[in-house]
């Protein structure tokens, strides 16, 4: 995909930045606690949070590490994240940097921990981003945790999901199955240590409007859910009332991996 797509991403998230910053679904979650458990951050760690969005992951880890660089493709999102972290108070070790996940502006081996939460499905080239993650992590002790929406293995359910996300947000590229994630991570030079799946319930109206959909867009998305097969309804636990979707549940995949000390040949 060309730079035009990334301009669309900047426009999309610049326009909706505030709604992401203020969303409790990003500010909280069992996945954050699990990321901490797996990464075991210490006061010696230097952390990079890629595609930081509203800054929730950076803020969560900041008291546990020496320093955090919160990076994002969208400058306005970074400004909103900075405001949010400043308002929350209590941390002074977070800096902000505009950065493309597929071309990170940091020297090799700059960080000991890297996180990326609920963002890779917007990346045009995930394998390239993973190679960049590998490059900027230290050979010894480098580790990362990625969380993103899990693509179902069932082709029918996966097709529904891909269409649903694109109806909601045209900057969605694609999600990946657990097997695809493990393969991509290993090919990038990581050892996958653990994966874990978390169900996440969404209030449909809040979720749909957070991406900036107008009334007609929300209506089309609602119809896509309503007309889905029983299999899809069961998988996403779609709850409706009087022809309106009230909520649904998808699954997030956490991948914890360590950087191999030796380069792949």
């Amino acid at each position: 995909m060309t730079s035009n797509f990334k301009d669309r991403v900047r426009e999309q998230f610049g326009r909706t930045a505030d709604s992401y910053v203020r969303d409790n679904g990003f500010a909280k979650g069992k996945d954050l606690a699990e990321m901490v458990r797996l990464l075991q951050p210490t006061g010696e760690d230097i952390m990079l949070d890629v595609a930081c969005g509203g800054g929730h992951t950076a803020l969560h880890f900041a008291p546990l590490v020496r320093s955090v660089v919160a990076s994002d493709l969208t400058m306005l999102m970074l400004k909103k994240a900075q405001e949010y972290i400043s308002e929350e108070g209590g941390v002074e070790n977070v800096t902000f940097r505009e950065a493309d996940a597929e071309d990170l502006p940091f020297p090799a081996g700059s960080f000991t921990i890297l996180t990326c939460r609920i963002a890779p499905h917007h990346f045009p080239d995930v394998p390239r981003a993973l190679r960049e993650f590998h490059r900027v992590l230290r050979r010894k002790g480098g580790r990362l945790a990625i969380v993103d929406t899990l693509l179902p293995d069932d082709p029918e359910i996966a097709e529904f999901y891909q269409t649903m996300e694109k109806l909601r947000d045209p900057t969605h590229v694609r999600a990946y199955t657990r097997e695809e994630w493990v393969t991509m991570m290993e090919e990038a030079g990581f050892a996958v240590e653990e994966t874990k799946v978390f169900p996440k319930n969404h209030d449909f109206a809040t979720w749909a409007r957070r991406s900036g959909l107008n009334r007609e867009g929300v209506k089309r998305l609602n119809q896509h859910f309503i007309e889905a097969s029983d299999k899809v309804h069961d998988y996403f636990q779609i709850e409706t009332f009087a022809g309106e979707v009230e909520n649904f549940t998808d699954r997030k995949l956490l991948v914890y991996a360590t950087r191999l000390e030796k380069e792949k040949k």
Side-chain angles (χ1 to χ4, degrees), residues 25-26 30-31 117-119 121 146-151 161 164-165 168 175-176 178 181 195-202 207 210 235-236 248-255:
F26 286 94
K30 293 181 179 179
D31 60 316
R117 182 169 175 249
I118 320 296
H121 60 278
I146 294 175
V147 178
D148 205 16
T149 302
L150 178 65
L151 186 70
Y161 171 78
M164 167 260 282
E165 282 285 15
R168 174 179 177 260
Y176 296 89
R178 179 192 175 280
W181 267 114
T195 63
K196 190 166 184 178
V197 176
F198 297 86
K200 184 170 184 179
N201 184 262
H202 302 269
W207 170 81
R210 189 173 63 229
Y235 179 89
F236 288 103
F248 72 99
T249 299
D250 64 10
R251 294 163 175 80
K252 308 301 180 187
L253 176 70
L254 187 159
V255 182

Side-chain angles (χ1 to χ4, degrees), residues 17 21 52-54 72 74-86 96:
V21 172
C52 69
D72 202 277
T74 305
M75 180 56 74
L76 185 54
M77 182 69 84
L78 277 175
K79 290 180 179 178
K80 292 292 184 179
Q82 188 170 12
E83 290 172 6
Y84 167 73
I85 290 176
S86 177
F96 301 85

Side-chain angles (χ1 to χ4, degrees), residues 27-47:
K28 302 175 182 178
K30 293 181 179 179
D31 60 316
L32 277 173
E34 189 66 9
M35 290 169 79
V36 171
R37 183 187 75 82
L38 292 168
L39 289 167
Q40 298 183 17
T42 73
E44 298 302 311
D45 279 310
I46 302 170
M47 173 176 154

Side-chain angles (χ1 to χ4, degrees), residues 17-161:
D18 194 62
S19 62
Y20 279 89
V21 172
R22 304 299 170 186
D23 190 275
N24 282 333
F26 286 94
K28 302 175 182 178
K30 293 181 179 179
D31 60 316
L32 277 173
E34 189 66 9
M35 290 169 79
V36 171
R37 183 187 75 82
L38 292 168
L39 289 167
Q40 298 183 17
T42 73
E44 298 302 311
D45 279 310
I46 302 170
M47 173 176 154
L48 173 64
D49 185 33
V50 177
C52 69
H56 308 103
T57 305
L59 178 61
H60 192 82
F61 273 85
L64 309 174
V65 299
R66 182 193 300 178
S67 62
V68 180
V69 176
S71 71
D72 202 277
L73 183 68
T74 305
M75 180 56 74
L76 185 54
M77 182 69 84
L78 277 175
K79 290 180 179 178
K80 292 292 184 179
Q82 188 170 12
E83 290 172 6
Y84 167 73
I85 290 176
S86 177
E87 288 170 6
E88 291 296 311
V91 299
E92 297 181 350
N93 62 341
V94 181
T95 57
F96 301 85
R97 182 74 180 271
E98 186 178 12
D100 184 338
E102 297 170 10
D103 188 18
L104 295 171
F106 309 107
S110 295
F111 304 95
T112 58
I113 288 178
L114 187 149
T115 57
C116 185
R117 182 169 175 249
I118 320 296
H121 60 278
H122 294 287
F123 297 170
D125 192 340
V126 170
R128 179 175 173 177
L130 292 177
R131 292 194 295 272
E132 279 291 273
F133 295 177
H134 184 272
R135 182 184 64 81
V136 301
L137 277 172
R138 290 186 185 171
R139 290 192 182 188
K140 187 173 183 179
R143 56 216 191 272
L144 83 164
I146 294 175
V147 178
D148 205 16
T149 302
L150 178 65
L151 186 70
D153 290 319
D154 183 283
E156 179 186 341
I157 302 174
E159 182 179 359
F160 169 88
Y161 171 78

Side-chain angles (χ1 to χ4, degrees), residues 213-232:
L213 279 183
N214 59 23
R215 182 178 297 180
E216 284 303 310
V218 173
K219 184 177 179 180
R220 285 193 298 270
L221 188 57
N222 183 84
Q223 197 64 24
H224 181 64
F225 274 78
I226 294 295
E227 294 176 352
S229 68
D230 289 343
K231 183 198 293 186
V232 168

